[in-house]
Amino acid sequence: MTTANGKLIENLEMQLKRLVTELKDLDECRDELTPDEFDTIKEDLIEQFKEFQETLDRLQKGDTTLESKVSQMRNEIKNAIRTAFNTTEMIKMFVEQDSHELLNQLLSLEEEYKLKRIKLEDMEEKKTKILKRLQKQGYALSENDTKFLKEKSQIYLQSIDDADAEN
């Protein structure tokens, strides 16, 4: 690892530790703050975590040597928030971010198929997995996507029935 990468990782780790400490401190001081103060500070921290997450995303896309360390830090962020704020809105924030990422993957996948970079079967298999993840997260699928999933499920069930009939 280069010295620049080492220094960058060290700075990112320090920033993550600072954010996690602030989050824990806020949770411990909850009773000493008015609800408005608590919400304001919490929103500020959430925004800082989002910005940190975006930085990690950009780094991960641009430098593969940082990927494992960046992934580890992303997981630490999620764990820190999950333990400090076990609220629906925090979970929703990460689900929305993950849903957005999955939707981008879906668009990219469909574009690759249109450009004939991947086969129909590969596209359909990957699309099915992405749509199932979105559905599992509670994302409202379009009518076309719902129909696509239903058709693929029926085809899959039929192939199981056919295999059982042969045996």
Side-chain angles (χ1 to χ4, degrees), residues 25-43 85:
D25 290 347
L26 178 62
D27 193 44
E28 290 172 4
C29 296
R30 176 180 281 210
D31 296 335
E32 299 169 21
L33 301 169
T34 67
D36 287 341
E37 289 174 324
F38 179 80
D39 288 341
T40 302
I41 295 170
K42 181 176 82 168
E43 290 302 318
F85 296 113

Side-chain angles (χ1 to χ4, degrees), residues 123-134:
M123 187 276 297
E124 287 179 339
E125 180 182 338
K126 291 176 182 177
K127 182 176 179 176
T128 301
K129 288 179 182 177
I130 292 171
L131 291 175
K132 284 183 178 182
R133 272 188 69 191
L134 284 167

Side-chain angles (χ1 to χ4, degrees), residues 61-75:
K61 289 176 185 170
D63 186 351
T64 56
T65 61
L66 295 174
E67 189 168 333
S68 63
K69 202 65 169 168
V70 170
S71 294
Q72 180 183 355
M73 285 183 200
R74 290 176 77 191
N75 287 333

Side-chain angles (χ1 to χ4, degrees), residues 76-88:
E76 287 178 23
I77 288 172
K78 289 178 183 177
N79 289 336
I81 291 174
R82 204 176 295 129
T83 56
F85 296 113
N86 193 13
T87 63
T88 311

Side-chain angles (χ1 to χ4, degrees), residues 16 20 23 49 52-53 56-57 60 70-86 90-91 93-95 97-99 101 133 137:
L16 177 60
V20 169
L23 195 59
F49 269 107
F52 188 69
Q53 182 87 30
L56 293 178
D57 290 342
Q60 192 169 21
V70 170
S71 294
Q72 180 183 355
M73 285 183 200
R74 290 176 77 191
N75 287 333
E76 287 178 23
I77 288 172
K78 289 178 183 177
N79 289 336
I81 291 174
R82 204 176 295 129
T83 56
F85 296 113
N86 193 13
M90 293 303 296
I91 295 168
M93 178 186 80
F94 283 108
V95 167
Q97 183 176 1
D98 192 37
S99 296
E101 192 174 305
R133 272 188 69 191
Q137 292 176 354

Side-chain angles (χ1 to χ4, degrees), residues 65-162:
T65 61
L66 295 174
E67 189 168 333
S68 63
K69 202 65 169 168
V70 170
S71 294
Q72 180 183 355
M73 285 183 200
R74 290 176 77 191
N75 287 333
E76 287 178 23
I77 288 172
K78 289 178 183 177
N79 289 336
I81 291 174
R82 204 176 295 129
T83 56
F85 296 113
N86 193 13
T87 63
T88 311
E89 66 187 55
M90 293 303 296
I91 295 168
K92 184 179 176 186
M93 178 186 80
F94 283 108
V95 167
E96 285 174 358
Q97 183 176 1
D98 192 37
S99 296
H100 181 69
E101 192 174 305
L102 289 170
L103 291 170
N104 285 338
Q105 287 177 13
L106 191 58
L107 290 173
S108 181
L109 181 66
E110 290 171 347
E111 185 177 325
E112 284 187 37
Y113 173 69
K114 287 177 186 173
L115 295 172
K116 300 189 187 294
R117 293 182 184 161
I118 61 173
K119 296 178 184 178
L120 176 65
E121 297 81 22
D122 293 336
M123 187 276 297
E124 287 179 339
E125 180 182 338
K126 291 176 182 177
K127 182 176 179 176
T128 301
K129 288 179 182 177
I130 292 171
L131 291 175
K132 284 183 178 182
R133 272 188 69 191
L134 284 167
Q135 194 175 44
K136 188 175 183 180
Q137 292 176 354
Y139 183 82
L141 299 179
S142 70
E143 189 176 317
N144 288 339
D145 289 338
T146 303
K147 183 178 176 183
F148 174 84
L149 267 183
K150 190 174 184 177
E151 289 171 0
K152 292 302 161 194
S153 295
Q154 288 173 345
I155 291 170
Y156 176 74
L157 291 173
Q158 184 61 43
S159 68
I160 291 174
D161 288 344
D162 292 346

